Amino acid sequence: MSSVSQALWNDVEQIRAQAPLVQNITNFVVMNNTANALLALGASPAMVHAAEEVEDFVSLASALVVNIGTLDANFVAGMRRAMRRAKDLGKPIVFDPVGVGATPFRNETSRELLALAAPDIIRGNASEIMALAGLDAQTKGVDSTQGSDSAVDSGRRLSRELGCVVVISGADDYIIRGDETAVVSNGHPLMTKVTGMGCTATALIGAFAAINADQFRAAWHAMAVMGICGELAARVHAAPGSLQVNFLNALYELTPTAVDDNLDTRRL
């Protein structure tokens, strides 16, 4: 195996051995999808968003994932408490700014949460990362209107300002920490036809961040696994419905040979 493949596979083995608890405050559209993906990978999901108990779950968890896909006042209250608690405890925080740039509410919520507790990793599509960096770009609902490469400069600026890793999803995934950049070219176009695949990527990043203190490596490995499993799923049957099932199967059945044979990544 290549050194990158071996390091990635070591992380997968650690997730399977430790089954880290990943606390998710995520949107209603993807809760089932992301919970099943975490289970298939080997992690343990907690899908808890009530403000009254999120701090207790964060205390138990190994990582916190916050996704603003279906915002309301109750969700935001839970996010505030959970992120503050995770920051106090030194637990990794992964933030997904779904649809930021689309409405003032999303912009204001994102600005508030980032100021309250800067995340360790942010993952979004190109439009979301550009909007988050300047909060003046527009998104098409939750979909990107830009290619991932167009957001690299915004990602670098955001990474420096917040001291975090920034992941830009797209045909190529860019993982950025300051001047350090890795690119993952794995994946399949059909993944864009399945609701919540980006949110699933964020959840998987949470699992890798739970067991790897190098958050750049954690995000890099998670995005590679996401892309490889998408490719493997599409080879079984290239249709959206079956892709969801076969993606979970690919996560569950992933082997070091599949990683080494299919990994398509490089540093810039």
Side-chain angles (χ1 to χ4, degrees), residues 76-105:
V76 175
M79 291 171 181
R80 289 192 195 106
R81 292 190 182 187
M83 291 180 71
R84 187 185 300 114
R85 182 62 171 160
K87 184 60 68 172
D88 288 344
L89 295 174
K91 303 285 181 77
I93 302 171
V94 184
F95 184 70
D96 191 330
V98 178
V100 69
T103 68
F105 182 42

Side-chain angles (χ1 to χ4, degrees), residues 8-115:
L8 188 162
W9 186 249
N10 289 343
D11 278 3
V12 173
E13 288 188 314
Q14 286 301 308
I15 292 170
R16 290 176 173 176
Q18 297 179 28
L21 179 64
V22 182
Q23 159 66 340
N24 294 263
I25 304 178
T26 192
N27 67 77
F28 290 122
V29 179
V30 306
M31 284 185 185
N32 185 66
N33 307 57
T34 54
N36 280 331
L38 286 167
L39 285 169
L41 179 64
S44 178
M47 319 305 286
V48 177
H49 58 266
E52 294 81 2
E53 63 175 348
V54 290
E55 291 171 296
D56 293 326
F57 268 89
V58 168
S59 298
L60 300 171
S62 297
L64 171 68
V65 173
V66 173
N67 176 308
I68 68 167
T70 51
L71 281 178
D72 64 27
N74 293 326
F75 262 72
V76 175
M79 291 171 181
R80 289 192 195 106
R81 292 190 182 187
M83 291 180 71
R84 187 185 300 114
R85 182 62 171 160
K87 184 60 68 172
D88 288 344
L89 295 174
K91 303 285 181 77
I93 302 171
V94 184
F95 184 70
D96 191 330
V98 178
V100 69
T103 68
F105 182 42
R106 289 179 187 276
N107 293 350
E108 292 161 8
T109 298
S110 296
R111 185 185 293 113
E112 177 192 354
L113 293 175
L114 294 181

Side-chain angles (χ1 to χ4, degrees), residues 84-172:
R84 187 185 300 114
R85 182 62 171 160
K87 184 60 68 172
D88 288 344
L89 295 174
K91 303 285 181 77
I93 302 171
V94 184
F95 184 70
D96 191 330
V98 178
V100 69
T103 68
F105 182 42
R106 289 179 187 276
N107 293 350
E108 292 161 8
T109 298
S110 296
R111 185 185 293 113
E112 177 192 354
L113 293 175
L114 294 181
L116 177 68
D120 298 274
I121 303 170
I122 297 172
R123 189 220 62 85
N125 62 40
S127 292
E128 290 163 348
I129 295 303
M130 293 169 74
L132 200 62
L135 292 181
D136 56 3
Q138 289 294 312
T139 57
K140 180 186 175 184
V142 300
D143 296 323
S144 181
T145 59
Q146 305 287 336
S148 54
D149 58 340
S150 66
V152 170
D153 287 343
S154 294
R156 287 183 178 136
R157 183 167 67 254
L158 193 61
S159 175
R160 293 190 188 101
E161 287 176 358
L162 297 177
C164 69
V165 175
V166 174
V167 178
I168 309 166
S169 295
D172 290 316

